[in-house]
Amino acid sequence: MAGLSNAVRAHRYERVRQFMRENQYDALAFTSSDWFEWLSNYEITDQSFERPYVLLVTADARSFAVSSNLGRYGMATQARHGRFWLDSIIHYSETPDRSQHKWVATQWHEMMVEMLRAAGLERGRIATESAGTLLAPATAVFPQLQIVQPHPDLRNVRRVKHADEIATMRRCASLS
């Protein structure tokens, strides 16, 4: 969302870090559009069943993602304006032409391994709000890595709003 500040990002990432500390997770992985938008400040329009994506936040609040090329230019535009909150992203193409693209959709397993290596997560516990099947193949490469279901209170992380978000909600409510 264009109007959200970096103070909102800091607030959200601290809430996520606190949840990880309380539940002893080394990272959280998200595969739904609502979490992707909440943590990246980018409204992803891909359907996850068709073009999968993963957003990973580490215990030290670094963020990584894998997403299709469809959002590449929108994300780059937001990044140029300081409104994209991810530290690293791997984009993949749906076309198999490796001469044109570094990553293609059929390399999902390799992209997961690359993202986890970049995040330093060869071992530890990653909680994911989905079934975990998108990350599961990486456990064959990293046998000391556990993919687990998160504590049920994960949704509560998003309920406490930053003052900027509350002010925005009040402005919107005053219009109706």
Side-chain angles (χ1 to χ4, degrees):
M1 307 239 351
L4 298 178
S5 67
N6 284 328
V8 172
R9 178 195 194 271
H11 169 79
R12 289 178 178 183
Y13 275 68
E14 182 50 38
R15 299 271 307 146
V16 167
R17 288 182 71 204
Q18 179 183 352
F19 180 80
M20 283 188 269
R21 281 190 303 270
E22 290 169 359
N23 294 283
Q24 300 175 337
Y25 301 134
D26 297 296
L28 290 172
F30 301 98
T31 59
S32 61
S33 60
D34 58 336
W35 280 104
F36 194 100
E37 182 175 348
W38 194 77
L39 287 163
S40 71
N41 202 32
Y42 180 79
E43 183 180 1
I44 195 159
T45 57
D46 296 356
Q47 298 294 319
S48 62
F49 66 87
E50 194 170 60
R51 292 179 187 92
Y53 45 86
V54 171
L55 189 152
L56 181 83
V57 179
T58 62
D60 62 358
R62 291 175 299 133
S63 55
F64 302 82
V66 174
S67 176
S68 80
N69 267 343
L70 292 180
R72 176 187 295 269
Y73 298 110
M75 290 177 194
T77 299
Q78 278 197 226
R80 278 194 303 279
H81 291 88
R83 294 190 309 247
F84 188 62
W85 296 343
L86 297 183
D87 298 317
S88 175
I89 188 158
I90 295 171
H91 289 283
Y92 66 87
S93 174
E94 294 178 281
T95 63
D97 185 357
R98 291 290 316 267
S99 67
Q100 297 290 319
H101 309 284
K102 179 175 180 179
W103 297 102
V104 295
T106 57
Q107 294 176 292
W108 186 264
H109 174 79
E110 293 89 345
M111 289 183 283
M112 292 298 98
V113 169
E114 176 70 21
M115 179 183 68
L116 292 169
R117 271 199 184 112
L121 289 168
E122 292 89 354
R123 67 186 51 156
R125 292 179 68 216
I126 299 175
T128 180
E129 106 291 2
S130 69
T133 56
L134 294 176
L135 290 172
T139 59
V141 176
F142 306 125
Q144 295 179 348
L145 182 66
Q146 289 181 299
I147 309 298
V148 299
Q149 291 296 306
H151 188 278
D153 288 342
L154 177 60
R155 275 277 172 215
N156 293 335
V157 168
R158 292 174 40 184
R159 290 197 172 121
V160 177
K161 305 298 182 198
H162 184 272
D164 290 356
E165 293 175 285
I166 294 168
T168 299
M169 288 186 278
R170 286 186 175 140
R171 280 193 305 276
C172 291
S174 73
L175 296 173
S176 58

